[in-house]
Amino acid sequence: MLGSACYLPAMFRFRARALAVFFGLASVVSAAALSITTDAPASVSIAVTFDGLVRETSLSAVVTPLEQRSAWENGRIYTFTRVNIDRVLARATPVPASPTTPTEAWVRTMGGIVGKIGQAVDGEAVLTIGRPSLLFLHPGPPGTLEVTARGQGQFPIVVDDKKATRVIRASNVGALLAPRSSATTTNAQTPAPAALPLAADVIHGRLLDDVARDVASAYKRIHATK
């Protein structure tokens, strides 16, 4: 199983950034007017394997953020992003759909802006209005989803020079440590964690259709045994 260390930071670092850039709000937000909460230690996570990411995911989909709201929860700021689910790659349960109404969901991430206070969290997924990403998601608090493995579970969608749609690794994954190797395994046919490919290595730079095929295949293989 994917350990909690894979998607919970060792510690948060709330850096002073240009939060107008962070949320693409340069035209309406003055970063100089914001009070920034800082915490010096950096975020460190274990690099997640492709199988580990799929194992802890309930829904893998291409989504486009439509709306964002931020709020305080237990002394930290969280952002709730309403997303349109453009394409489902794999899922544990059916996603409600309607012929006339786009499928939508709320995704909860750490960090955001409330009033004149902003918090940015190293290693967390960053969703930007209008910019699609492939997300690996699991249930969060009631009514929300969260990104599995935080920033490692987000892969922005880009169009290359040949108009092909590709998936790339996110730039905000924070500091990563290699997965721990294992001297023994419970099954001779199951590789030790260090031998399994990392999610970013499997997905980065590839065509979306190819990634979709591999995610669906891996999801069926891994979740069929649960």
Side-chain angles (χ1 to χ4, degrees), residues 124-142:
E124 179 68 344
V126 177
L127 306 181
T128 302
I129 300 297
R131 296 185 180 179
S133 291
L134 166 59
L135 296 183
F136 291 81
L137 300 160
H138 63 267

Side-chain angles (χ1 to χ4, degrees), residues 1 51 55 182-196 221:
M1 296 292 289
D51 277 15
R55 182 176 296 111
S182 176
T184 60
T185 58
T186 56
N187 187 325
Q189 301 301 317
T190 303
L196 296 173
R221 168 174 55 84

Side-chain angles (χ1 to χ4, degrees), residues 66-182:
L66 304 173
E67 171 192 1
Q68 288 180 322
R69 304 172 185 175
S70 297
W72 287 97
E73 287 188 7
N74 300 319
R76 300 195 185 280
I77 295 176
Y78 289 83
T79 293
F80 298 83
T81 303
R82 182 169 62 89
V83 302
N84 185 73
I85 300 177
D86 305 325
R87 177 178 179 178
V88 174
L89 275 61
R91 60 193 176 195
T93 56
V95 177
S98 165
T100 58
T101 304
T103 299
E104 296 180 356
W106 285 93
V107 179
R108 177 180 182 262
T109 53
M110 293 181 287
I113 301 172
V114 176
K116 294 185 177 181
I117 298 177
Q119 293 180 344
V121 181
D122 278 349
E124 179 68 344
V126 177
L127 306 181
T128 302
I129 300 297
R131 296 185 180 179
S133 291
L134 166 59
L135 296 183
F136 291 81
L137 300 160
H138 63 267
T144 69
L145 297 169
E146 293 181 329
V147 182
T148 308
R150 305 173 59 231
Q152 295 185 72
Q154 177 187 16
F155 294 86
I157 303 297
V158 299
V159 177
D160 65 18
D161 295 339
K162 296 181 180 180
K163 307 301 181 182
T165 302
R166 295 185 180 273
V167 188
I168 61 173
R169 63 168 60 89
S171 60
N172 48 290
V173 297
L176 298 177
L177 299 177
R180 296 184 183 90
S181 60
S182 176

